[in-house]
Amino acid sequence: CPFCQRVRAVVSELDLDARVYPTPRVTIKAYAKAGDSRYRSEAREKSGQLMFPYLEDPNTGVRMSDSGAIINYLLETYGGGARARSFSPLPISKLMLRSLRLSLYFGVLRVPSHRPAEPLVFFGAQGNADAIRVFDALTCLELPYLWRACARGSRKEAELAELAGAAAALCLKDPNTGFVSSAPSAIVRYLYKTYQTGNIPGETLLDYSTEGA
């Protein structure tokens, strides 16, 4: 969702690490449904609502759901009190293209999957278009992962280079299988082949509804 993308942009900018538990929608025909979601019910129990993104900071005990509040909190806590800046949305043409492939690439709708025994590890940054493809696949499949935010100039660049080569801008490591790759197309294929257990939803933007909001 665009609110989650704004938070990811700040996490990337601050060069933080985060444990991510994706909460894609189970349907776009109704609002705030938990259904068979792997983590939505848990988030609702903790926050009292189905509003995302939802943040828990184990370092301070803070819990919050509003993206604007999360951004301000991250900047104040880990950015030396920096002020939030505006983050440009995707160009309309790219947004339309991704929307046409909503269920698979846009990170919106849940795709049935089995949960890995250990969280995956992903090095990448929100500003990288190839990384966004991987974010979307991880989200749709509800795969928990440790996100090592790694934008240009990151303190983790040397670690990324050691894992995937000096030219790599991203990398996914699956400790459950030993899979390691920095190629976005190969990563997306691997994730669906390894973890998908059911059909990709056939819903489109024409099915969108705010019923129950």
Side-chain angles (χ1 to χ4, degrees):
C1 76
F3 304 105
C4 298
Q5 290 182 28
R6 291 182 64 224
V7 172
R8 286 206 308 244
V10 173
V11 171
S12 295
E13 188 173 283
L14 295 176
D15 203 30
L16 302 176
D17 291 346
R19 294 191 180 277
V20 182
Y21 301 91
T23 54
R25 293 181 65 163
V26 296
T27 179
I28 60 171
K29 296 179 180 179
Y31 187 79
K33 298 292 184 180
D36 295 327
S37 170
R38 186 166 290 148
Y39 301 113
R40 281 185 159 237
S41 294
E42 181 180 350
R44 181 169 57 189
E45 290 175 5
K46 291 182 175 183
S47 67
Q49 57 187 338
L50 281 176
M51 178 184 289
F52 302 100
Y54 170 69
L55 173 77
E56 291 187 2
D57 187 344
N59 302 294
T60 64
V62 163
R63 298 181 177 186
M64 59 179 63
S65 296
D66 179 81
S67 61
I70 291 173
I71 288 171
N72 287 331
Y73 166 78
L74 292 174
L75 291 172
E76 291 173 3
T77 306
Y78 299 104
R83 298 182 62 182
R85 62 182 177 85
S86 298
F87 295 95
S88 300
L90 285 170
I92 295 298
S93 59
K94 290 185 179 180
L95 180 61
M96 292 177 66
L97 178 61
R98 296 178 80 210
S99 297
L100 290 175
R101 297 183 289 183
L102 177 66
S103 61
L104 182 56
Y105 293 109
F106 201 38
V108 173
L109 280 172
R110 173 184 179 271
V111 175
S113 69
H114 70 85
R115 179 176 178 173
E118 297 291 334
L120 282 60
V121 180
F122 179 55
F123 288 79
Q126 171 62 23
N128 183 299
D130 288 332
I132 291 175
R133 293 176 58 196
V134 179
F135 282 130
D136 288 350
L138 290 166
T139 299
C140 286
L141 290 165
E142 298 181 297
L143 300 177
Y145 61 99
L146 172 62
W147 177 27
R148 309 294 309 281
C150 192
R152 182 174 298 178
S154 168
R155 59 185 171 81
K156 289 164 271 189
E157 282 188 327
E159 188 176 352
L160 173 60
E162 183 177 352
L163 184 64
L170 59 86
C171 182
L172 180 97
K173 178 180 180 180
D174 187 344
N176 302 284
T177 64
F179 175 87
V180 177
S181 178
S182 60
S185 295
I187 292 171
V188 172
R189 287 195 300 269
Y190 165 80
L191 291 175
Y192 277 90
K193 181 179 180 180
T194 305
Y195 292 104
Q196 182 181 354
T197 60
N199 294 331
I200 295 170
E203 300 178 21
T204 71
L205 288 179
L206 297 178
D207 297 308
Y208 181 79
S209 173
T210 58
E211 179 185 351

